[in-house]
Amino acid sequence: VAPSRRELIKLLPFASEVKHDVTCRGMDGAIVALRLVLSTDREFKTGEEFSYPDQGVAFQVAAVEDSKQDYSPHRQKALAELNRNSQARFKGDLDAVTISLLQSWVIPKSDFIPTKNPIALFAGSAWKAFFSLFGQVTAADIHFLTFKGGGEKQVQLTVQYARIDDAKKCASVLHNRYVVNPMTMNIAMCVFFLVNYTAFKAELDQLDRA
């Protein structure tokens, strides 16, 4: 059985948050790919290993990236890859950004039930004000996601900009970084993509009908 986030935090005192990415289970145990928010200035090296035999857990550093430095080679490479992957996926202009968030981050009301899917981001929303910092927002949608097996509800927040350069500007700031919920001070990784607004909406609509 793969360790829980709480168990992993106890084993990794240098991490302030552990985010599960992928878990692969086999006959002899499980391999878990993780993203960590580091809470120390200690330097880590690719390939470095940490072993906890009593718990039956071993860690190996696969890659280290400093996402704080806008012009570091690592970050420029990550942004170029984001743009390249988005251009390969969509034929139209990359005029929008999309981010996956817990529903409670966007809609604090726990018993909220949407009457349709998607819905427009609420007028006066702090999220709309935030995304407007990067340029003129022409559309902003909340798409409610459903997953088998339960878990906390998630939404896909998609924001279209009047200027393509503003969508790229937003991506350059948020990609591979963390956002903070000002209500709870919880942090979350930006699962973030550059998209063509019309084509991406069509993809989500098709998923709903599947």
Side-chain angles (χ1 to χ4, degrees):
V1 178
S4 67
R5 282 182 174 84
R6 184 174 298 177
E7 291 169 333
L8 287 169
I9 280 287
K10 290 180 180 179
L11 293 175
L12 299 172
F14 48 78
S16 61
E17 184 198 359
V18 175
K19 177 181 175 63
H20 283 265
D21 276 3
V22 181
T23 301
C24 299
R25 292 181 173 84
M27 294 294 290
D28 300 325
I31 298 175
V32 184
L34 305 169
R35 281 185 181 272
L36 306 179
V37 182
L38 301 179
S39 58
T40 176
D41 292 331
R42 180 190 183 282
E43 291 188 4
F44 294 87
K45 296 181 179 179
T46 301
E48 189 173 354
E49 296 184 356
F50 305 88
S51 182
Y52 301 88
D54 292 343
Q55 288 79 18
V57 177
F59 299 93
Q60 184 179 63
V61 179
V64 181
E65 178 181 344
D66 182 0
S67 62
K68 294 180 181 179
Q69 303 298 326
D70 284 339
Y71 299 104
S72 71
H74 263 301
R75 182 143 189 85
Q76 291 301 306
K77 182 179 178 181
L79 291 173
E81 184 176 0
L82 170 70
N83 192 61
R84 184 167 56 251
N85 291 342
S86 296
Q87 287 179 332
R89 180 177 174 183
F90 299 102
K91 293 182 179 179
D93 293 331
L94 300 176
D95 59 351
V97 297
T98 188
I99 180 173
S100 298
L101 292 167
L102 294 177
Q103 181 174 312
S104 59
W105 278 46
V106 184
I107 306 172
K109 191 176 179 181
S110 60
D111 58 351
F112 177 83
I113 300 176
T115 56
K116 60 180 181 178
N117 196 19
I119 64 173
L121 187 61
F122 309 120
S125 165
W127 284 103
K128 189 165 186 179
F130 173 70
F131 282 105
S132 294
L133 294 173
F134 303 100
Q136 181 184 349
V137 172
T138 54
D141 300 326
I142 304 170
H143 198 105
F144 299 89
L145 305 176
T146 56
F147 299 101
K148 294 179 179 179
E152 190 167 351
K153 296 177 181 177
Q154 289 187 305
V155 297
Q156 195 75 29
L157 182 57
T158 305
V159 179
Q160 183 187 38
Y161 285 96
R163 297 175 65 250
I164 295 171
D165 285 347
D166 292 338
K168 291 182 177 180
K169 185 195 307 180
C170 180
S172 70
V173 172
L174 295 184
H175 180 59
N176 270 5
R177 287 181 170 159
Y178 289 78
V179 288
V180 179
N181 185 335
M183 301 295 291
T184 63
M185 298 309 293
N186 291 334
I187 58 177
M189 180 73 180
C190 286
V191 183
F192 187 92
F193 299 97
L194 263 172
V195 299
N196 174 267
Y197 178 77
T198 302
F200 187 68
K201 278 195 68 175
E203 283 186 11
L204 292 177
D205 290 342
Q206 188 173 0
L207 286 175
D208 283 342
R209 292 192 295 269

